[in-house]
Amino acid sequence: MTKPPRELLQFLHRYEPAIQSLALGLRKVVLEEMAPCHEYIFEMRSKVVLLYGATERVIEDGICYINVFRKHVNLGFPRGADLVDASGMLQGAGKAFRHITLQKLSELDRPEIRAYLRQARKRAGLGRPRRPTAGDVVTRVKVKSPPRRPAWPQTFR
């Protein structure tokens, strides 16, 4: 299985160890169910975002995502409204997006999580995942750019 990128560990550093473990554990579950896939990781104000899709166009063609917040982690589905929600775990009332809120590492053992991931993968037109290897996941990380210097010197007097 693919090791978390150094940048992801840096992004997660500001969170409590329990949330870090939960985020990395959920990432492992997602990769086990989604590989081969593309992963796009970035930091966004109050959260860390991990997007997953079958192509490098994960923002447009995303199958699922992980949002890491201060006190919980969300597993979301851009087309979650189309998923069969027999267990009633999916939250959200919009036209398309649905998510599951996770607060404890033990929640990753719930079989419904893998079932939703498989269902989303199938609805995206992908076959059954094979046993993942390191080369099956293409990871891109967007690192914040350093602040830009002004084009001219500013002097305030």
Side-chain angles (χ1 to χ4, degrees), residues 18 27 46 65 71 90 104 113 135:
R27 177 182 183 264
S46 63
Y65 60 87
K71 294 191 176 207
L90 293 176
K104 293 182 276 185
I113 292 173

Side-chain angles (χ1 to χ4, degrees), residues 119-133:
Q119 202 179 138
R121 181 179 175 82
K122 186 175 179 182
R123 286 189 177 272
L126 301 175
R128 294 178 66 161
R130 63 180 194 268
R131 182 158 306 285
T133 61

Side-chain angles (χ1 to χ4, degrees), residues 1 25-34 75 77 83 89 100 102 107-122 129 131-132:
M1 185 50 52
L26 182 56
R27 177 182 183 264
K28 182 176 184 272
V29 169
V30 169
L31 292 178
E32 286 172 357
E33 294 298 331
M34 300 298 292
L75 170 62
F77 302 94
L83 300 177
M89 282 183 71
I100 300 167
L102 304 165
E107 292 177 286
L108 294 180
D109 295 332
R110 295 188 67 173
E112 296 94 337
I113 292 173
R114 289 184 185 269
Y116 288 123
L117 288 166
R118 289 181 191 129
Q119 202 179 138
R121 181 179 175 82
K122 186 175 179 182
R131 182 158 306 285

Side-chain angles (χ1 to χ4, degrees), residues 37-149:
C37 67
H38 288 258
E39 174 183 52
Y40 185 48
I41 303 170
F42 59 97
E43 203 172 20
M44 189 173 146
R45 292 192 182 131
S46 63
K47 63 185 170 186
V48 174
V49 180
L50 297 87
L51 303 173
Y52 297 91
T55 69
E56 65 275 355
R57 299 170 37 127
V58 292
I59 294 175
E60 295 89 2
D61 303 331
I63 298 173
C64 69
Y65 60 87
I66 297 172
N67 286 340
V68 183
F69 294 96
R70 194 168 61 86
K71 294 191 176 207
H72 67 277
V73 176
N74 283 350
L75 170 62
F77 302 94
R79 292 171 199 81
D82 297 335
L83 300 177
V84 176
D85 187 19
S87 62
M89 282 183 71
L90 293 176
Q91 302 169 355
K95 288 183 182 178
F97 281 80
R98 297 290 184 272
H99 69 275
I100 300 167
T101 299
L102 304 165
Q103 295 178 329
K104 293 182 276 185
L105 195 57
S106 61
E107 292 177 286
L108 294 180
D109 295 332
R110 295 188 67 173
E112 296 94 337
I113 292 173
R114 289 184 185 269
Y116 288 123
L117 288 166
R118 289 181 191 129
Q119 202 179 138
R121 181 179 175 82
K122 186 175 179 182
R123 286 189 177 272
L126 301 175
R128 294 178 66 161
R130 63 180 194 268
R131 182 158 306 285
T133 61
D136 285 342
V137 180
V138 178
T139 300
R140 289 182 299 151
V141 179
K142 179 182 177 189
V143 182
K144 285 186 179 179
S145 303
R148 295 182 64 175
R149 290 183 26 199

